[in-house]
Amino acid sequence: MNKVCITGITGQTGSYLAEIFLQNGYDVYGLIRRTSNFNTQRIEHIFDDINLSYGDLSSFSSIQKFIQETQPDIFINAAAQSHVRVSFDVPEYTMDTIAMGNIRCLEALRINSPQTRYLHAATSEMFGSAPPPQNENTPFHPRSPYACAKVCAYYSTINYREAYKMHASNSISFNHESPRRGHTFVTKKITKAAARIKYGLQDKLRLGNLDAKRDWSHAKDIAHAMYLIVTADKPDDYVIGSGKAHSIKEFLEIVFKKLDLNWEDYVVFDEKYLRPTEVDVLCSDNTKIKEKLFWEPEYSFEQLIDEMIDHDLKEARNEKLIRDNV
Ligand code: NAP
Ligand code: F7E
């Protein structure tokens, strides 16, 4: 049985990665960090099929122990302080866990299991203010501590590939969303608020910049692309995205319209959601992964939105029932 280790398994993408590797016959091992409350909601449905160990990207010894005990064929580093706005508040922590955390994973593998294949979850945020469409040859211009840390982790991954001949790759993913998306990212914030407004549980939605454009995919499609990258014969770096960009305003319009609501009646501007430096437009040129690894997304933008709305309407309905004591 092949073995895969996943950091960030309790996160949105990590949970889909775990499902994909299980479906492909792998033994799945996840690194989870200790938190004061449960952080395993996204993997509850596969809890009995996977193996979890406590550890943290800030701790080399915990990563080394994880690798020594599992001796994995594949190691995917999908853990991060992944919130761009928050990275301005905790720049050192963000840099330590993303840039140094990635080095800790690579170094622990180099010492203990250099034949293990490695994938680092890099990001379109590295392109920052570089004009769209962005592909593997676009120069980086990071615009946040998060993006700066990811650029460092990206180049470290390439350096270990070149210096030690490790099978180490980067996925350069554009934004990916799903019903499992963290509640403070803009798409989930919008679908959740619209559903709660529909059920009379909320009357305002506070947001920042509505003009930025993002290339949104379903996280399941991105996780599938990551699987293709790390199981390919040769290590390499690939942009993953839908190739289409929409503004936050467009996303709002579509979601609220589907619920027969007018977003302008509910959305309130709040400057606390602005970033010191914004990324205006991210839109992928996904030619390389389509041509080399034959990746094709399963979900359209509309299907992604529908799945998120359906999920959040069910949650809002349950919340309403509990509130009304039914
Ligand atoms: P997410 O939902 O925020 O999940 C992040 C995961 O990392 C969680 O499992 C979290 O644990 C874990 N984590 C955070 N800090 C850690 C630490 N110090 N030690 C160990 N684990 C830690 O993020 P995501 O959307 O799944 O993204 C997965 C990866 O892809 C991240 O590296 C992210 O930066 C990158 N990425 C994401 C996107 C996107 O649009 N989603 C795009 C490009 C790249 P808890 O559950 O305990 O919080
Ligand atoms: O913001 C604007 C905000 O936080 C998208 C992460 O997964 O994707 C994600 O980073 C846009 C920005 O995602 C609010 O200013 C307006 O322009 O959903 P987001 P992100 O910053 O693009 C990349 C690829 C990653 O790698 C990251 O890990 O929406 N926006 N009002 C808002 N954003 C938030 N969060 N909240 C608002 O109220």
Side-chain angles (χ1 to χ4, degrees):
M1 177 82 87
N2 287 329
K3 289 184 266 185
V4 60
C5 282
I6 303 172
T7 71
I9 196 167
T10 56
Q12 174 190 228
T13 316
S15 66
Y16 286 113
L17 280 168
E19 285 172 10
I20 290 171
F21 277 96
L22 282 175
Q23 282 156 14
N24 284 280
Y26 282 75
D27 259 351
V28 174
Y29 296 82
L31 189 82
I32 62 165
R33 58 181 179 165
R34 141 83 191 153
T35 46
S36 71
N37 221 327
F38 289 121
N39 62 351
T40 47
Q41 298 90 330
R42 295 184 178 106
I43 47 173
E44 253 161 30
H45 59 296
I46 50 172
F47 214 77
D48 294 337
D49 307 321
I50 58 179
N51 313 277
L52 300 176
S53 312
Y54 281 107
D56 199 294
L57 285 185
S58 61
S59 153
F60 178 79
S61 63
S62 70
I63 298 168
Q64 173 152 268
K65 186 165 168 277
F66 185 46
I67 290 166
Q68 285 171 341
E69 287 177 357
T70 49
Q71 291 296 318
D73 300 284
I74 293 176
F75 188 107
I76 300 186
N77 181 18
Q81 187 303 90
S82 70
H83 203 286
V84 174
R85 170 68 194 84
V86 173
S87 77
F88 288 95
D89 298 330
V90 286
E92 291 160 82
Y93 172 77
T94 303
M95 190 60 83
D96 181 60
T97 50
I98 291 179
M100 290 299 293
N102 194 60
I103 285 278
R104 291 182 187 111
C105 295
L106 285 164
E107 201 48 14
L109 284 172
R110 182 185 70 77
I111 296 166
N112 298 282
S113 188
Q115 73 290 351
T116 298
R117 289 174 175 221
Y118 186 75
L119 180 72
H120 164 243
T123 169
S124 55
E125 282 290 306
M126 300 187 304
F127 298 122
S129 54
Q134 295 100 355
N135 66 22
E136 294 79 3
N137 301 316
T138 305
F140 298 141
H141 189 141
R143 299 266 288 170
S144 63
Y146 169 78
C148 292
K150 285 283 185 181
V151 169
C152 177
Y154 169 87
Y155 281 120
S156 306
T157 303
I158 294 176
N159 182 237
Y160 273 65
R161 178 164 83 219
E162 293 174 354
Y164 307 115
K165 312 293 172 230
M166 285 169 62
H167 192 295
S169 306
N170 286 289
S171 53
I172 310 171
S173 311
F174 283 61
N175 296 51
H176 39 287
E177 321 294 315
S178 73
R180 298 182 199 170
R181 185 56 144 154
H183 292 207
T184 59
F185 295 95
V186 79
T187 55
K188 180 68 174 178
K189 207 170 149 181
I190 292 170
T191 56
K192 183 180 170 187
R196 293 185 83 247
I197 288 168
K198 189 74 187 167
Y199 276 95
L201 296 160
Q202 179 172 340
D203 58 4
K204 288 282 173 266
L205 167 60
R206 308 184 80 82
L207 292 173
N209 175 20
L210 305 184
D211 295 323
K213 289 189 170 177
R214 290 292 183 270
D215 176 335
W216 283 298
S217 296
H218 197 298
K220 206 191 277 185
D221 281 329
I222 300 291
H224 178 234
M226 291 166 83
Y227 173 83
L228 293 179
I229 295 171
V230 79
T231 55
D233 288 343
K234 285 190 182 158
D236 205 346
D237 312 309
Y238 294 89
V239 154
I240 324 170
S242 73
K244 296 180 193 106
H246 303 270
S247 67
I248 317 300
K249 212 178 272 177
E250 282 168 53
F251 193 91
L252 271 169
E253 268 163 8
I254 296 171
V255 171
F256 276 72
K257 202 168 168 203
K258 280 181 186 282
L259 299 180
D260 297 320
L261 299 167
N262 177 10
W263 69 273
E264 283 160 307
D265 295 338
Y266 305 97
V267 172
V268 176
F269 171 71
D270 191 333
E271 66 177 358
K272 92 171 167 220
Y273 296 112
L274 298 179
R275 291 129 196 236
T277 37
E278 176 63 285
V279 170
D280 294 325
V281 189
L282 291 174
C283 186
S284 64
D285 164 7
N286 55 22
T287 312
K288 181 175 171 183
I289 192 158
K290 286 193 161 182
E291 286 188 358
K292 292 209 164 176
L293 301 182
F294 308 110
W295 175 73
E296 281 298 334
E298 234 181 76
Y299 287 80
S300 68
F301 183 54
E302 285 278 323
Q303 285 169 319
L304 165 66
I305 292 180
D306 287 344
E307 195 182 309
M308 291 180 77
I309 293 177
D310 283 352
H311 177 274
D312 290 345
L313 279 174
K314 279 190 198 112
E315 297 240 305
R317 184 171 174 275
N318 287 343
E319 188 183 340
K320 173 93 171 131
L321 286 174
I322 292 166
R323 183 179 284 198
D324 294 348
N325 264 335
V326 176

